[in-house]
Amino acid sequence: MIKRIITASIIIILLLIIFNLPNIILNITLLTIIYLASLEFSQFAKLNFRSSHIFAICMIILYFLANMIKLKLILILANIWWFLAVLLIIFHENTYKIWKNNQIIIIIFAILSIIPAAIAMQHIYLMNKYLLLFFIFFISMADIIAYFIGKFFGNHLLCIKISPKKTWEGFLSGIMGSTIIFWLGNKFFYNFNNILFLIVISVIIISLALFGDLFESMLKRSINIKDSSNLLPGHGGILDRLDSIIATAPIFLLVILYTQNGYL
């Protein structure tokens, strides 16, 4: 627990520093995250050391190439992918054997998960760097609330075969707490006139955050590991810390663009 708190504190300090430095620093940070997340993802495809680094380099190249594609297409494709990922999780007992030992499918999983999320975070930052900071805070608070409520008050298991410690109490409390945060953000970053719509969007985003977490847990269980790496003491790896953000960044950006200028 102490390691988790110390690491989280260091991450928060680094984020605040990075967000007050020139844009090039954020871009370098984003490329570093893509590289490290890709390395962690490569173990699910059982790539060797050399192949893992080649894959990570290719992911950075793909990131630059994907930036040439129309943003709307990237966001829609990403959200379609996460809808399919939700189905993979719900029906994991039947779909597990299809992808478990298939390197190509798992590499496609990595591309569809990491690249759109990185592009979405880049665009959120360019719109308003504090909006990106708020988004990270919004998703992280859902995770924190769910973790502590589930740990101390959770009795009803949510998905025991994929993530045995997650509970309904944690999940629902995360939704309630984060919906309040999302509502507060409405006064500064976006403009939902319909409070019911705001609540529905918040519930959808936090639910997808949960599935992002479960998706990574499902991949980890496929190779019998607890954490994607030990890079972040008390948290695990980059994917362990960012799984929910990776899943929700595209839909968050899509919603913000829609509220600002009727993007769809």
Side-chain angles (χ1 to χ4, degrees), residues 2-233:
I2 295 177
K3 282 185 179 181
R4 189 179 182 92
I5 294 172
I6 292 174
T7 301
S9 300
I10 293 172
I11 291 173
I12 291 170
I13 293 170
L14 288 175
L15 273 176
L16 293 175
I17 292 173
I18 290 170
F19 273 70
N20 286 284
L21 293 174
N23 289 354
I24 185 65
I25 303 300
L26 180 91
N27 291 331
I28 292 172
T29 303
L30 193 57
L31 292 175
T32 302
I33 290 172
I34 293 172
Y35 192 88
L36 294 175
S38 299
L39 282 181
E40 293 180 1
F41 218 111
S42 68
Q43 65 189 315
F44 304 136
K46 300 176 182 176
L47 300 181
N48 59 35
F49 179 83
R50 181 184 178 188
S51 297
S52 295
H53 285 275
I54 292 174
F55 169 65
I57 292 170
C58 288
M59 287 288 279
I60 289 178
I61 295 172
L62 278 174
Y63 166 73
F64 284 112
L65 293 175
N67 268 291
M68 300 177 187
I69 301 173
K70 194 173 181 180
L71 178 62
K72 180 178 178 180
L73 180 60
I74 294 289
L75 296 179
I76 292 175
L77 178 63
N79 285 293
I80 290 173
W81 152 241
W82 280 108
F83 172 75
L84 294 175
V86 168
L87 295 180
L88 286 175
I89 295 165
I90 293 173
F91 301 106
H92 67 276
E93 292 183 352
N94 297 318
T95 61
Y96 188 73
K97 56 186 177 183
I98 298 174
W99 57 263
K100 180 182 177 183
N101 295 311
N102 193 313
Q103 288 184 327
I104 294 176
I105 291 178
I106 294 175
I107 286 172
I108 292 173
F109 285 175
I111 294 170
L112 293 174
S113 301
I114 296 172
I115 301 301
I119 291 173
M121 285 190 282
Q122 177 198 35
H123 279 273
I124 294 170
Y125 178 85
L126 292 175
M127 290 171 65
N128 184 338
K129 64 182 180 180
Y130 296 109
L131 176 60
L132 178 57
L133 201 60
F134 169 77
F135 165 66
I136 294 171
F137 174 72
F138 165 58
I139 298 299
S140 298
M141 282 306 297
D143 183 46
I144 291 169
I145 294 170
Y147 174 80
F148 282 105
I149 296 297
K151 184 178 179 65
F152 294 107
F153 304 103
N155 293 309
H156 300 86
L157 298 178
L158 181 64
C159 193
I160 189 169
K161 290 186 177 180
I162 294 179
S163 188
K165 292 185 179 180
K166 283 187 170 48
T167 65
W168 279 104
E169 289 86 352
F171 171 55
L172 295 175
S173 61
I175 284 181
M176 288 187 287
S178 293
T179 297
I180 294 172
I181 294 171
F182 198 63
W183 173 75
L184 292 173
N186 190 51
K187 298 179 179 296
F188 300 99
F189 299 114
Y190 33 87
N191 186 26
F192 289 109
N193 295 319
N194 189 324
I195 187 68
L196 179 60
F197 184 63
L198 182 146
I199 293 172
V200 170
I201 290 298
S202 177
V203 170
I204 290 173
I205 292 175
I206 296 305
S207 297
L208 189 56
L210 168 70
F211 279 106
D213 191 324
L214 289 174
F215 181 70
E216 196 228 349
S217 295
M218 183 174 69
L219 291 172
K220 289 188 294 186
R221 283 192 169 272
S222 73
I223 58 172
N224 298 313
I225 61 172
K226 182 179 181 295
D227 298 319
S228 59
S229 76
N230 58 2
L231 184 65
L232 304 172

